[in-house]
Amino acid sequence: MIGALPRRHRLVVASLRGLAVATLVACAVALAWPGEQGSGVGAWLASGVAAISAVLCLTRAALDRQERAAWLCMGAGLACFEAGNVVWLTWIIHLDPQPFPSVVDALFVAFYPFAYATLVLLVRRRVTQFHRSLWLDGVIGGLGAAAIGAALAFQTIVDATGGAPASAVATNLAYPIGDLLLLVLVVGVVALMGWRPGRAWWLLAAGFVLFALADTLYLFRVANSTYAPGTWLELVWPAATLIIGLAAWSSPRAGHPVRMEGWTVLVVPSLFAVSSLGILLLDHFTRISTLAAGLATGCLLACVVRTVAAFLEVRSLSDSRRQAHTDDLTGLGNRRLLHSEMNAALKPGGKPQKLALLVVDLDRFKEINDAFGHEIGDRLLRLVGPRLERALIPGDVLVRLGADEFAVLVREADVHRAAEVATRLLSVLDTPFTLEGVALHIDASIGIAVYPDHAADGAELLQRADIAMYQAKEARTGWHLYDAEPTEYGRGRLQLIEDLRAALTTDQLVLHYQPKVDAASRQVVGVEALVRWQHPTQGLLYPDTFLPVAEQTRLMRSLASAVLQMALEQAAAWRNAGRHLAVAVNLSVANLLDAHLPLEVARLLTSFHLPPTALELEITESTLMIDPVRSKEVLEALRGLGVRLAVDDYGTGYSSLAYLRELAVDELKLDKSFVIPMLENPDAAAIVRSTVDLAHALGLRMVAEGVESEEHLLELARLGCDVAQGYHISRPVPAAQLDEWLRVAPAPSSSATHPTW
């Protein structure tokens, strides 16, 4: 606190503290030569210590706005005490007989309410939250300390006041009662601070306890007619006031954290409980005041309440721990429980167990959510958990990691046992689940990693099992054991996933555009948008590097949204510049099964003020056949918007002609594997020719990919192919470079021949 004050204020405070200490020392020396009836130099010096301490507290109140009320009360209390000293030394001591009670007693007793208020205000300011146990510890400590004080001195003082006037009895009792209450508050506050309040609180508590001790000893001696002025007892009051004044400038930390841990926090309350029990037992052998017995009884009752509260807290903590380790949806354990179990099995110092971890991911669960809604998906997940538990034995730990991903921890398991568990898990999922009258078949992909064969700790074990799960998903083998040899599924792949997540939010994705031209007139009829990733460290990455990762990590929806946004934004820019170019964008499996895709497309077309014909969506045959029913629903919704649809890489899949007719697509794009060899291979030429005829028979536009020479272009035009696309015309280039290409490209011609571009 002092360090934060201006230099002149720090000098004042330091001077006051030094003066107070010097005065107390002088008082101690002067007590060796006391004046008559204690009114000598020592008594005045003791009074001076109290005055300086009051000034210290009032100075703190003046300079510290936050704790002004507390230290103003303390300064006022010390000022009352000092006023009592002055009145006693200047007036009452010279009267014969000396009145009792007098105004001096009123001033001395006034110290207590101010001291109580100081404690309450400081506690409210510096400790913002109290645990229920701390309140009870405070009550136990206060009642126990008061019981001890009452047992030691109270009855003696009461006996000594027998036969005195009522005012004298009340005054004599006011001091011990005030001291007992002060003791209760001091011990209670220290308990509330967790029995570790810090230096400032210890000083303040010590000052108040010294006050109570000095008063108690004084009244005890007076009651036994053994009091004599000028003894060491006269030094206790000024020492108490000095300690309080020093406490005012030893600021405790605001909001002092109280940590309840271990058995140490129970030591002090237990001692007070034992002492209270001892007081009640002592009452059977000697006379103990009713007040002491009542306080001891209250302390023991508070201990009973504290025990009940501790039991409730332990039960609450147990419930909280269970809830913290439980998945809210399924009631299974969660990721936190899995880590806890792995850490317990692999704890340092103990013999580590051989562990197998299986990560189970449900295949195509997103399709169920999209088709039936998340409520049905959640109900399905609640059914999957008990089904998986059938394949396990006691001791195996099943948890839900999140979404549609589960994990199984198998103790004392090698690779062979882990494989057996994986086989059983897949087997119990074979039976369909029935929801809303619909039988749902659920497949899963399971990744297996074994400690210590594949990992050195729990975190690495989970990472390796997750990698193996993606390997199983891509290979469609059901389960896969982690391959310890470095592969693309290692750390580099995980880093690529995180980099891709960042790329989707930091504009790292870029589009290159490849023109599509009329095979006969060479007129540009559109462009195909092809995504690239401008990686910050690896340079320009092509789709085959990151699209599979996007598919497996469910980032494809976000990626497709970003590509559509950029492609339509560029189409709008070209349209504003007078170039009416349709932009083609490729769709993946995840996109085609996304029921929200038509809404997203409609929103983007509206936001860029583009007609539906400005966009063409390309789908591969293999994509169409993964889920023909869902694909048809999404494509019909897109077709309803007026968006053109094309089947990309035609000839490499297994779609039937009837299905093509039902989908009502607009365009077939013949795969380049047939176009490139058509000039030398008669079979390839026949396929191209028949596909052109088929497309025209179905009323579709025919597009040939892989046009790499002028001869290819001329032959395609001769066969009646509508549109051509390939490196001979142009490689995929950025939009700015395509603009330059369009400016220097030759004008359309009706001639069948045309120079090479």
Side-chain angles (χ1 to χ4, degrees):
M1 176 69 191
I2 295 179
L5 295 174
R7 186 171 182 273
R8 62 180 183 278
H9 292 161
R10 296 201 302 270
L11 290 175
V12 170
V13 172
S15 300
L16 288 172
R17 292 168 69 173
L19 181 61
V21 173
T23 305
L24 181 64
V25 173
C27 175
V29 175
L31 283 175
W33 300 276
E36 184 180 356
Q37 295 181 349
S39 60
V41 175
W44 281 103
L45 288 173
S47 177
V49 174
I52 298 172
S53 297
V55 172
L56 278 170
C57 292
L58 293 174
T59 303
R60 173 68 186 271
L63 298 179
D64 187 354
R65 181 180 303 176
Q66 294 180 341
E67 296 184 348
R68 179 167 295 168
W71 293 110
L72 188 62
C73 286
M74 193 67 261
L78 290 175
C80 289
F81 181 81
E82 171 59 13
N85 284 331
V86 173
V87 172
W88 169 261
L89 292 173
T90 58
W91 179 30
I92 300 298
I93 198 174
H94 301 295
L95 298 180
D96 190 17
Q98 296 174 353
F100 183 81
S102 67
V103 65
V104 172
D105 296 291
L107 291 171
F108 284 161
V109 171
F111 167 80
Y112 295 107
F114 287 113
Y116 305 152
T118 299
L119 285 172
V120 172
L121 290 171
L122 287 177
V123 168
R124 289 185 60 185
R125 168 66 189 165
R126 293 177 180 175
V127 182
T128 56
Q129 292 183 348
F130 297 118
H131 199 276
R132 180 171 53 185
S133 326
L134 294 177
W135 282 111
L136 291 172
D137 286 347
V139 172
I140 292 170
L143 292 175
I148 294 172
L152 293 176
F154 192 81
Q155 190 60 46
T156 301
I157 296 171
V158 171
D159 293 341
T161 58
S167 59
V169 173
T171 301
N172 278 331
L173 290 179
Y175 286 105
I177 290 175
D179 289 330
L180 282 176
L181 184 55
L182 185 61
L183 192 62
V184 167
L185 284 175
V186 167
V187 177
V189 165
V190 174
L192 286 173
M193 304 291 286
W195 306 106
R196 294 185 294 274
R199 185 181 63 179
W201 279 104
W202 282 124
L203 287 174
L204 198 60
F208 288 148
V209 170
L210 281 178
F211 248 109
L213 178 64
D215 286 343
T216 301
L217 291 175
Y218 171 76
L219 292 173
F220 194 88
R221 289 188 176 188
V222 168
N224 290 280
S225 301
T226 59
Y227 173 72
T231 64
W232 63 268
L233 182 60
E234 309 292 337
L235 195 62
V236 178
W237 283 290
T241 60
L242 174 60
I243 292 174
I244 293 172
L246 295 177
W249 292 96
S250 299
S251 301
R253 294 185 298 274
H256 183 71
V258 176
R259 296 188 59 181
M260 301 297 295
E261 57 183 14
W263 291 99
T264 56
V265 296
L266 299 177
V267 172
V268 177
S270 300
L271 290 177
F272 280 119
V274 171
S275 65
S276 296
L277 183 61
I279 290 172
L280 294 178
L281 292 175
L282 185 64
D283 188 43
H284 291 282
F285 302 99
T286 185
R287 184 184 178 189
I288 300 296
S289 69
T290 303
L291 178 61
L295 290 171
T297 302
C299 179
L300 291 177
L301 290 175
C303 288
V304 173
V305 176
R306 174 68 167 86
T307 302
V308 174
F311 172 77
L312 294 176
E313 287 171 6
V314 170
R315 188 174 69 176
S316 176
L317 288 173
S318 177
D319 291 341
S320 298
R321 184 178 183 276
R322 179 182 56 79
Q323 293 173 6
H325 287 169
T326 302
D327 175 61
D328 292 335
L329 178 64
T330 62
L332 300 173
N334 57 16
R335 186 183 292 266
R336 189 178 292 110
L337 175 64
L338 177 64
H339 283 289
S340 176
E341 293 288 340
M342 288 194 298
N343 291 337
L346 304 175
K347 60 183 177 182
K351 182 180 179 180
Q353 302 180 27
K354 195 174 183 67
L355 300 177
L357 182 63
L358 293 78
V359 172
V360 183
D361 187 85
L362 304 183
D363 295 337
R364 297 191 297 278
F365 181 75
K366 184 178 183 299
E367 301 171 23
I368 296 175
N369 270 337
D370 292 341
F372 298 99
H374 288 277
E375 182 179 353
I376 297 298
D378 289 346
R379 288 171 57 186
L380 177 60
L381 290 174
R382 285 193 287 267
L383 295 175
V384 167
R387 184 79 68 85
L388 293 176
E389 286 181 327
R390 296 181 194 171
L392 306 179
I393 62 174
D396 296 344
V397 180
L398 172 64
V399 303
R400 178 177 176 236
L401 296 177
D404 60 337
E405 199 169 60
F406 299 81
V408 177
L409 183 67
V410 184
R411 294 182 172 87
E412 298 300 334
D414 56 13
V415 170
H416 299 292
R417 188 183 170 203
E420 292 174 359
V421 174
T423 303
R424 293 201 303 267
L425 290 172
L426 293 173
S427 177
V428 297
L429 292 176
D430 283 343
T431 305
F433 296 85
T434 302
L435 289 170
E436 299 292 321
V438 178
L440 298 175
H441 291 266
I442 296 296
D443 295 322
S445 299
I446 302 178
I448 304 174
V450 176
Y451 172 88
D453 299 349
H454 302 142
D457 54 40
E460 192 173 36
L461 187 66
L462 179 58
Q463 176 198 36
R464 299 293 169 80
D466 198 49
I467 291 172
M469 182 271 293
Y470 281 113
Q471 291 174 315
K473 188 175 288 290
E474 180 165 327
R476 300 186 182 182
T477 55
W479 62 267
H480 190 90
L481 182 67
Y482 175 76
D483 184 1
E485 294 298 323
T487 69
E488 68 271 18
Y489 291 93
R491 247 177 232 282
R493 179 181 179 277
L494 295 178
Q495 184 61 52
L496 188 67
I497 293 172
E498 295 307 315
D499 290 348
L500 183 56
R501 293 183 192 277
L504 291 172
T505 59
T506 54
D507 298 328
Q508 294 180 23
L509 297 181
V510 295
L511 293 186
H512 286 192
Y513 300 90
Q514 187 173 37
K516 300 160 65 177
V517 302
D518 184 281
S521 68
R522 312 297 178 92
Q523 175 70 45
V524 178
V525 296
V527 294
E528 180 179 1
L530 300 167
V531 67
R532 304 287 188 264
W533 179 7
Q534 190 63 53
H535 195 280
T537 59
Q538 300 182 37
L540 190 67
L541 301 181
Y542 285 80
D544 57 346
T545 305
F546 58 89
L547 287 187
V549 173
E551 287 273 11
Q552 295 164 5
T553 55
R554 299 174 187 168
L555 295 175
M556 185 54 75
R557 181 176 178 181
S558 299
L559 191 148
S561 180
V563 171
L564 283 169
Q565 170 103 12
M566 291 187 291
L568 292 178
E569 183 178 8
Q570 183 58 53
W574 279 326
R575 189 168 290 265
N576 293 334
R579 299 185 187 277
H580 294 264
L581 296 176
V583 178
V585 175
N586 292 279
L587 294 183
S588 71
V589 176
N591 304 139
L592 194 57
L593 299 177
D594 185 1
H596 300 282
L597 179 63
L599 298 176
E600 177 76 3
V601 170
R603 182 187 66 82
L604 290 172
L605 288 172
T606 301
S607 64
F608 289 113
H609 308 288
L610 289 172
T613 54
L615 177 64
E616 184 177 276
L617 298 175
E618 299 184 359
I619 312 102
T620 63
E621 283 184 279
S622 57
T623 299
L624 288 171
M625 299 312 296
I626 287 178
D627 191 336
V629 177
R630 290 285 307 285
S631 301
K632 184 178 179 181
E633 292 175 357
V634 174
L635 290 177
E636 286 178 349
L638 291 169
R639 186 63 182 271
L641 296 176
V643 174
R644 294 177 60 83
L645 302 175
V647 177
D648 196 14
D649 299 334
Y650 182 74
T652 60
Y654 305 96
S655 58
S656 67
L657 297 179
Y659 188 62
L660 286 177
R661 186 180 66 245
E662 290 176 6
L663 287 177
V665 295
D666 302 287
E667 185 177 281
L668 289 184
K669 296 187 69 175
L670 187 61
D671 188 70
K672 63 182 180 180
S673 61
F674 302 105
V675 175
I676 293 175
M678 64 179 288
L679 298 178
E680 296 85 16
N681 189 321
D683 292 336
I687 291 175
V688 174
R689 182 171 57 254
S690 61
T691 305
V692 171
D693 294 339
L694 172 63
H696 290 164
L698 293 174
L700 306 179
R701 187 168 68 168
M702 180 66 193
V703 179
E705 297 183 295
V707 178
E708 297 191 351
S709 69
E710 179 65 18
E711 289 75 16
H712 282 98
L713 190 55
L714 292 173
E715 181 62 16
L716 289 170
R718 188 185 67 80
L719 294 175
C721 181
D722 301 295
V723 178
Q725 179 181 354
Y727 283 3
H728 172 66
I729 300 168
S730 173
R731 290 177 175 271
V733 293
Q737 192 172 338
L738 183 62
D739 286 337
E740 183 65 27
W741 183 89
L742 291 170
R743 280 195 293 270
V744 301
S749 170
S750 59
S751 171
T753 61
H754 201 284
T756 301
W757 291 23

